[in-house]
């Protein structure tokens, strides 16, 4: 019981205090990988602490149902839970204790189902789009990407079997050869880093728990930081100026499909300022 309470309190403390603090710390994103790790640790600790609380409650409940007698080595909290469970404090307290435990377990189950459903839907959406892009477009061996016959300049990647980098005819017309290579390097950095998995999990948590600011804010910040990491990968291979000019050329691009990671669809203004050396 004490472990469950501590886990719940610990999770809520992080969920309440972490977002404003992390936003200040990671705002400039001088090292996006470190900033990403900080956000993921905070999100992971909160989710795991609440999951541990549910597991602890289930274990306590089963323990007291299977072994209803007092044991000398039980700590005070567990002993009180046992007394409440067997009616030592009256039927009202007994019913309340079981109701609270049942509601906690039910809430954990519902949230787990919602998270699982969100992850499944994200996977299904991205895999379907990757398949449709390969059907609708043509694969360019030179670019190792699928080219869509669309006038709007856009480039993005979607997970699938295999993963797919998509670029439109409009993007190829708007960019020179080096800029195209830089954009493709950006997209491949997303796929090589398995960024789609991080996006799916963080967005899934935000969908399952939309009132928890750590998860909703964290999902946005994780998406932003992943774009910066991909930008840095493109800069290392093609230079800052080339990446900046390519990003500006794609600045009018609308967001890619749900679940996709695009070259110009997240935190565009901050990314341009960062590449320009403006803080």
């Amino acid at each position: 019981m004490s472990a469950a309470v501590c886990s719940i309190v610990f999770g809520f403390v992080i969920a309440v205090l972490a977002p404003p603090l992390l936003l200040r710390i990671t705002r400039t994103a001088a090292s996006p990988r470190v900033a990403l790790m900080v956000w993921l640790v905070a999100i992971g600790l909160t989710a795991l602490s609440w999951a541990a609380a549910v597991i602890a409650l289930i274990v306590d409940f089963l323990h007291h149902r299977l072994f209803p007698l007092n044991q000398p080595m039980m700590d005070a909290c567990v002993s009180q839970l046992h007394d409440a469970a067997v009616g030592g404090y009256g039927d009202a307290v007994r019913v309340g204790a079981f109701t609270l435990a049942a509601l906690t377990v039910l809430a954990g189950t519902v949230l787990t189902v919602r998270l699982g459903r969100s992850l499944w839907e994200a996977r299904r959406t991205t895999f379907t789009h990757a398949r449709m892009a390969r059907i609708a477009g043509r694969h360019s061996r030179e670019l190792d990407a699928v080219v869509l016959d669309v006038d709007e300049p856009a480039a993005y990647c979607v997970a699938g079997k295999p993963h797919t980098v998509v670029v439109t005819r409009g993007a190829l017309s708007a960019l020179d050869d080096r800029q195209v290579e830089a954009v493709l390097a950006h997209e491949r950095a997303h796929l090589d880093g398995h960024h789609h998995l991080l996006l799916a999990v963080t967005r899934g948590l935000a969908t399952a728990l939309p009132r928890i600011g750590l998860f909703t804010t964290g999902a946005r910040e994780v998406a932003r930081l992943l774009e910066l990491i991909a930008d840095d990968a493109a800069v290392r291979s093609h230079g800052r100026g080339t990446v900046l000019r390519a990003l500006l050329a794609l600045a009018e691009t609308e967001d890619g499909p749900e679940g996709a990671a695009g070259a110009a669809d997240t935190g565009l203004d901050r990314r341009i300022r960062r590449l320009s050396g403006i803080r």
Side-chain angles (χ1 to χ4, degrees):
M1 180 67 171
S2 57
V5 172
C6 288
S7 295
I8 292 173
V9 172
F10 178 71
F12 271 109
V13 168
I14 297 178
V16 172
L17 298 182
L21 178 62
L22 294 184
L23 284 173
R24 286 198 298 270
I25 293 175
T26 63
R27 180 176 59 85
T28 58
S31 177
R33 289 186 181 275
V34 173
L36 175 66
M37 185 61 64
V38 170
W39 275 102
L40 292 178
V41 167
I43 292 171
L45 284 177
T46 301
L48 289 175
S49 66
W50 289 345
V54 173
I55 293 172
L57 285 173
I58 294 174
V59 170
D60 279 346
F61 175 79
L62 293 177
H63 176 80
H64 291 297
R65 293 296 292 175
L66 295 175
F67 305 101
L69 298 178
N70 280 321
Q71 299 179 19
M73 298 303 293
M74 283 184 178
D75 60 38
C77 185
V78 173
S79 297
Q80 291 174 9
L81 177 63
H82 169 267
D83 292 341
V86 298
Y89 298 118
D91 290 339
V93 175
R94 180 183 184 183
V95 171
F98 278 111
T99 300
L100 179 60
L103 288 176
T104 301
V105 173
L106 178 62
T109 302
V110 170
L111 291 176
T112 300
V113 170
R114 291 181 64 181
L115 176 59
R117 183 179 300 170
S118 177
L119 293 176
W120 173 256
E121 286 296 324
R123 182 180 186 275
R124 185 181 62 83
T125 299
T126 55
F127 275 44
T128 298
H129 184 84
R131 184 174 66 254
M132 295 304 296
R134 290 193 295 271
I135 294 174
R138 59 178 176 82
H139 183 266
S140 170
R141 290 186 177 181
E142 180 183 0
L143 300 176
D144 191 21
V146 171
V147 179
L148 292 181
D149 190 21
V150 177
D151 291 332
E152 179 187 0
Y156 54 89
C157 61
V158 286
K161 293 184 178 180
H163 299 327
T164 304
V165 175
V166 179
V167 60
T168 65
R169 186 188 65 228
L172 297 179
S173 299
L175 305 173
D176 63 30
D177 290 344
R178 284 186 54 79
Q179 291 167 1
V180 170
E181 292 174 358
V183 167
L184 295 179
H186 174 104
E187 301 307 331
R188 293 186 184 114
H190 281 310
L191 295 176
D192 293 342
H194 304 288
H195 293 175
H196 56 283
L197 298 179
L198 296 178
L199 290 174
V201 172
T202 53
R203 288 171 177 172
L205 286 171
T207 300
L209 293 166
R211 295 183 181 275
I212 305 299
L214 175 63
F215 294 150
T216 54
T217 303
R220 291 193 300 269
E221 286 300 298
V222 166
R224 179 179 71 88
L225 292 168
L226 290 176
E227 290 300 325
L228 299 186
I229 291 172
D231 284 344
D232 289 348
V235 166
R236 286 193 295 271
S237 57
H238 295 88
R240 185 177 300 273
T242 301
V243 175
L244 176 59
R245 288 190 293 273
L247 194 59
L248 290 171
L250 296 177
E252 300 301 323
T253 301
E254 296 181 359
D255 290 354
E258 181 181 357
D265 61 0
T266 302
L268 182 60
D269 181 64
R270 288 186 180 182
R271 291 167 60 195
I272 290 175
R273 291 171 62 87
R274 181 172 181 265
L275 289 170
S276 302
I278 302 173
R279 297 296 181 183

